[in-house]
């Protein structure tokens, strides 16, 4: 996570990726090869997702629906941390993970994913921009 943050904030390619994500038309006008940047970002995101899948497969059994059970928790972490904030997403993931695991004390483990829905609902009602997201 730290390496990705440094890459996006300190390298020319990372800054170009952020510029292309913010405003592709302006990035193209400024002379950035937006198609190539989008391709590199897709390749990098796929590589990171593949690595995460390998590590998840080491911990659990691998099946075609491996990620389906995690999607709510990941989305809840992104909403909690603030869309577009990598440190916020990390903090949100830690909070969601701990709260979901601690919730099994009070509710059956089969309802653990409902905790993710509850976190999304509460966060959108209380602070829609997330913990680390700025006001838009």
């Amino acid at each position: 996570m730290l390496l990705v943050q440094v890459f996006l904030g300190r390298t020319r390619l990372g800054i170009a990726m952020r510029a292309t994500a913010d405003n592709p038309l302006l990035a193209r006008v400024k002379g950035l090869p937006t198609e190539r940047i989008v391709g590199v970002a897709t390749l990098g995101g796929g590589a990171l997702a593949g690595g995460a899948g390998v590590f998840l497969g080491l911990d659990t059994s691998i099946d075609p629906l491996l990620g389906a059970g995690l999607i709510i928790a990941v989305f809840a972490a992104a909403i909690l941390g603030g869309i577009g904030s990598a440190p916020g997403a990390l903090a949100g993931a830690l909070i969601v993970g701990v709260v979901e695991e601690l919730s099994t004390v009070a509710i059956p483990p089969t309802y653990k994913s409902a905790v993710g829905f509850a976190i999304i609902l509460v966060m959108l009602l209380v602070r829609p921009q997330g913990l680390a997201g700025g006001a838009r």
Side-chain angles (χ1 to χ4, degrees):
M1 183 76 179
L2 182 64
L3 289 175
V4 171
Q5 223 19 50
V6 169
F7 171 74
L8 289 175
R10 305 284 176 148
T11 65
R12 290 180 62 134
L13 180 59
I15 293 168
M17 283 180 180
R18 289 186 13 234
T20 302
D22 284 344
N23 193 339
L25 183 61
L26 181 60
R28 183 176 295 140
V29 168
K30 288 287 193 178
L32 293 175
T34 55
E35 294 83 14
R36 190 169 7 149
I37 291 170
V38 168
V40 169
T42 303
L43 183 70
L48 289 173
V54 167
F55 287 121
L56 184 61
L58 292 173
D59 188 43
T60 61
S61 63
I62 298 175
D63 64 348
L65 301 176
L66 180 65
L70 297 174
I71 195 72
I72 296 301
V74 171
F75 188 63
I79 295 294
L80 180 63
I83 301 293
S85 170
L90 178 63
L94 288 173
I95 292 169
V96 168
V98 169
V99 169
E100 280 188 350
E101 292 302 319
L102 289 178
S103 71
T104 59
V105 172
I107 61 173
T110 54
Y111 295 114
K112 194 164 56 170
S113 64
V115 174
F117 279 118
I119 290 171
I120 292 170
L121 179 68
V122 169
M123 197 64 205
L124 289 177
L125 288 173
V126 175
R127 189 172 160 93
Q129 67 269 23
L131 295 175
R136 297 224 177 224

